[in-house]
Amino acid sequence: MLVRFKKNFEKIAMGLLSFMPEEKDVKKLQQTIKEYEENSSWELYLWKEEDILGIIGVRFEEDKVIIQHISVNPSHRNQGIGKKMVEEVKQLFGEKFKIIANQQTDRFINKCENQTKIL
Ligand code: COA
């Protein structure tokens, strides 16, 4: 299930975000986390089973929710966690907002969309 980011998850959140190609630089990563902590339009969620296995970060902009970060622990990939996080974000916000990707996430989000259509 998705749980809202809290300060005590900061290290694990940074570890997960660092798998995104654009977040490799430590300074950039620290700025990103700071923005999630301080900017009320940015919200970060963690995928928690027994452990925390994934992360998804969104930004609210007018009538849109932009999925701007998504990452899963490499040992737990290809088990559907990425898709489940996207689905939960749609369930949480899809009624009121249009859910879209940005450049950092569109390859995977588009893949989820296409699979939904086929199913
Ligand atoms: N773009 C498009 N498809 C991708 C992808 C990417 N960057 N990464 C993985 N996939 C595909 C897999 O090939 C697999 O395809 P299949 O269902 O046809 O076999 C499918 O997504 C796996 O889906 P799922 O198990 O739900 O995803 P996951 O839990 O493995 O998580 C990511 C997917 C992208 C979050 C994970 O690979 C990751 O953390 N990558 C590093 C961070 C990253 O690059 N994020 C931005 C992605 S655009």
Side-chain angles (χ1 to χ4, degrees):
M1 64 169 184
L2 282 186
V3 296
R4 190 77 192 267
F5 170 81
K6 286 188 230 127
K7 186 91 178 164
N8 54 328
F9 294 139
E10 193 174 69
K11 277 209 179 108
I12 182 121
M14 283 178 78
L16 287 165
L17 284 175
S18 72
F19 294 117
M20 301 237 8
E22 298 78 4
E23 300 291 337
K24 297 278 175 230
D25 177 74
V26 178
K27 280 213 174 109
K28 170 80 168 53
L29 196 53
Q30 284 167 339
Q31 269 173 10
T32 299
I33 281 284
K34 194 161 178 260
E35 192 91 30
Y36 277 115
E37 286 170 351
E38 293 177 1
N39 185 335
S40 59
S41 315
W42 286 41
E43 291 189 3
L44 195 55
Y45 293 85
L46 299 155
W47 184 262
K48 193 166 183 294
E49 292 181 7
E50 274 173 34
D51 295 317
I52 289 167
L53 303 180
I55 196 160
I56 187 163
V58 301
R59 183 174 88 243
F60 290 80
E61 201 179 285
E62 297 168 354
D63 60 341
K64 294 187 284 283
V65 164
I66 303 159
I67 299 178
Q68 50 183 9
H69 294 100
I70 184 160
S71 175
V72 169
N73 178 317
S75 313
H76 296 268
R77 289 188 188 160
N78 294 308
Q79 296 169 17
I81 294 173
K83 278 173 215 148
K84 280 193 261 183
M85 291 197 293
V86 173
E87 274 313 307
E88 282 220 14
V89 162
K90 285 185 180 163
Q91 275 178 20
L92 281 172
F93 305 118
E95 257 183 49
K96 288 195 181 161
F97 297 91
K98 186 170 157 41
I99 314 290
I100 60 169
N102 71 359
Q103 237 189 334
Q104 295 180 54
T105 59
D106 65 349
R107 279 192 56 221
F108 182 69
I109 304 301
N110 285 341
K111 186 184 170 82
C112 295
E113 299 282 319
N114 293 335
Q115 285 188 340
T116 313
K117 273 177 205 151
I118 290 162
L119 291 171

